[in-house]
Amino acid sequence: MMASNGIYVLTAPGAPPSVPSVPRALTVAQPATAPPASFFDTTSSTVAGFASVCGLLVAVGSAARRGIGHRRQSSRVQLRGASRAPFKEPVNFRAKPGDKYTYRCPQDFNTPEFGHWPPEAPDRVVKYGQVHFKGNPTGETEFYAKKAGKKQMDKDRLTGNSNDSRGALLLDCDGTIVETERDGHRVAFNQAFKKLGYDCEWEVGLYGELLTTGGGKERMTRYFTDYNPEAWPHEEPAAKDNPKIMELHELKTKLFMEIVRSGQLPLREGIEDLITDAFANGWKVGVCSTSNEQAVRAVVETLLPEFAPEIPIFAGDIVSAKKPDPEIYNLASKEMGVAPMTCVVIEDASIGCRAAKAAGMQVIVTKSIYTEGEDFTGADEIVSSAAEIDFEEDVVPMLPMLQMS
């Protein structure tokens, strides 16, 4: 029988249940037991235990990973970004300018250190669309100087204290960038006449007279109409859209490009320095010519290879009317996104000067072999060569300045 205190007591048969009749040693102590737990209490206890074990395992794993990461960082700087390049080149990581611990993979091999696209390295070599030599870095000092200057200019624009005058420098090609007329175009015209069986030859003096007409096809049309009709062997009259004239001009362009790429025609004095100063001051530079676009592009790519990717070319039949019509300069202004009043044009001929002034632009004339005696009325400045032009003193002041009231 169990008493109220949880102790079992043995009693004799017939004895009152409340009086124990057994020795003290026969009593057995039993622990107190709680009522049986429900099913949900048992499940909660199991989940809690499992969660504790999982937490312990996560903590151990995190500690192990931290230890491995610490050992890796102690041996080398941890690289960021892609670890493989898509082409078969050695993977050489290098830091970005001004960012000590940021690295980039060699997909940027076209861009020199401390430069920006297009690359600025003067000795960069590109052949057949492939970079053969990336070029030497522009330099840390120059990079940060440009960066600081740009920030200051942006600040000046916001505060209205800007004295920065940015515009566009537009250059004619033939006679301005290079003396192509006498020893380039004239020679190519005569070679084309000879190869196609035309009995004519343009002398130096005669070609100077024909230069008052803009455009090679128009020039030949004028010659075969006004100067030497007997030399035109075809029934249909000479015209710029005549297939025979177009055939002559196509051959002449091919021959001219061969002359240019041979290196026989050097740049005119001061042109390279003028273009360099324009780009250094944040100006846009373009070429506007009445010559064939392929011929002009050959001149720029051969004689100004470091600037060629940044110089748009407006030439040939891209416009319906050629100089002295201002259409070519109006098109350049629109396509380059600059106002005509902020454009300074370098020309060598009267027809080019009149075209630029009609477009509302400023004009500096650099006289060439054939244009020394022409009338340059309306030109803002007339010099013998671009070497006499100082960009800061002569070109920049030509732009209108906005005064804040």
Side-chain angles (χ1 to χ4, degrees):
M1 164 176 193
M2 185 179 68
S4 60
N5 57 2
I7 299 176
Y8 288 90
V9 181
L10 299 176
T11 58
S18 60
V19 180
S21 60
V22 295
R24 188 184 183 101
L26 295 178
T27 59
V28 180
Q30 298 292 335
T33 58
S38 65
F39 171 77
F40 296 103
D41 294 338
T42 304
T43 304
S44 300
S45 300
T46 304
V47 171
F50 181 73
S52 300
V53 174
C54 290
L56 179 61
L57 293 176
V58 170
V60 173
S62 299
R65 285 195 297 273
R66 284 196 298 270
I68 294 174
H70 178 73
R71 288 194 298 273
R72 286 180 178 174
Q73 292 177 4
S74 64
S75 61
R76 61 182 177 87
V77 177
Q78 191 171 4
L79 303 180
R80 298 179 182 177
S83 60
R84 295 181 63 85
F87 49 85
K88 295 181 180 179
E89 291 289 338
V91 180
N92 296 320
F93 291 89
R94 55 190 176 84
K96 287 183 180 179
D99 200 350
K100 185 175 181 181
Y101 296 110
T102 301
Y103 290 78
R104 53 188 174 184
C105 57
Q107 279 90 333
D108 65 347
F109 71 102
N110 285 331
T111 306
E113 193 77 39
F114 292 104
H116 59 82
W117 186 264
E120 295 180 329
D123 53 349
R124 181 171 178 266
V125 178
V126 180
K127 293 182 179 180
Y128 309 109
Q130 298 294 326
V131 177
H132 289 254
F133 179 61
K134 186 170 55 180
N136 293 316
T138 302
E140 181 179 4
T141 303
E142 184 176 350
F143 175 83
Y144 285 114
K146 288 183 178 180
K147 187 175 181 180
K150 183 179 184 302
K151 288 184 178 179
Q152 183 62 41
M153 286 187 290
D154 293 339
K155 180 179 178 181
D156 291 340
R157 289 191 185 96
L158 292 175
T159 58
N161 297 324
S162 175
N163 291 322
D164 174 46
S165 300
R166 295 194 176 194
L169 183 70
L170 304 179
L171 301 97
D172 177 46
C173 180
D174 302 313
T176 302
I177 296 178
V178 59
E179 286 282 10
T180 56
E181 300 294 3
R182 184 185 66 182
D183 302 323
H185 287 291
R186 185 185 69 86
V187 173
F189 273 118
N190 288 334
Q191 290 177 355
F193 293 150
K194 185 177 182 180
K195 286 191 175 185
L196 294 181
Y198 290 83
D199 187 17
C200 57
E201 183 177 352
W202 289 356
E203 298 177 353
V204 174
L206 173 61
Y207 190 71
E209 296 179 13
L210 294 174
L211 283 176
T212 56
T213 300
K217 293 188 289 291
E218 292 81 357
R219 208 167 290 153
M220 286 189 290
T221 299
R222 178 185 174 191
Y223 172 77
F224 288 120
T225 302
D226 299 337
Y227 284 83
N228 193 2
E230 292 79 11
W232 181 252
H234 310 289
E235 295 182 0
E236 295 182 2
K240 68 176 184 178
D241 56 352
N242 188 299
K244 298 299 181 180
I245 290 290
M246 297 178 70
E247 180 186 13
L248 269 171
H249 192 262
E250 183 178 358
L251 177 58
K252 172 260 170 186
T253 300
K254 180 180 178 181
L255 296 171
F256 173 75
M257 288 191 293
E258 292 177 359
I259 295 174
V260 171
R261 291 186 174 125
S262 67
Q264 300 178 29
L265 305 174
L267 281 172
R268 286 197 66 184
E269 185 181 8
I271 286 294
E272 186 172 5
D273 292 337
L274 186 62
I275 295 176
T276 301
D277 291 341
F279 278 119
N281 284 269
W283 282 44
K284 298 180 179 180
V285 178
V287 174
C288 301
S289 175
T290 58
S291 296
N292 180 272
E293 182 179 358
Q294 295 180 3
V296 177
R297 194 172 300 278
V299 170
V300 174
E301 291 178 351
T302 303
L303 302 179
L304 297 167
E306 64 273 24
F307 301 116
E310 303 178 55
I311 298 180
I313 294 174
F314 306 92
D317 297 326
I318 195 172
V319 293
S320 57
K322 297 185 178 180
K323 303 174 185 178
D325 192 282
E327 186 176 359
I328 189 73
Y329 285 114
N330 291 333
L331 177 64
S333 172
K334 180 180 178 180
E335 293 294 328
M336 296 176 68
V338 291
M341 67 177 64
T342 63
C343 295
V344 177
V345 177
I346 311 297
E347 273 280 359
D348 74 302
S350 175
I351 58 174
C353 176
R354 283 182 284 156
K357 296 304 292 184
M361 301 177 180
Q362 314 301 317
V363 181
I364 299 177
V365 173
T366 58
K367 294 181 179 180
S368 63
I369 297 174
Y370 280 115
T371 63
E372 290 181 347
E374 292 185 1
D375 181 14
F376 296 108
T377 301
D380 297 277
E381 187 174 347
I382 303 174
V383 295
S384 298
S385 71
E388 301 177 23
I389 303 174
D390 185 278
F391 188 84
E392 295 289 344
E393 296 182 2
D394 300 326
V395 179
V396 174
M398 288 187 174
L399 300 191
M401 299 296 295
L402 177 63
Q403 300 294 335
M404 303 299 293
S405 58

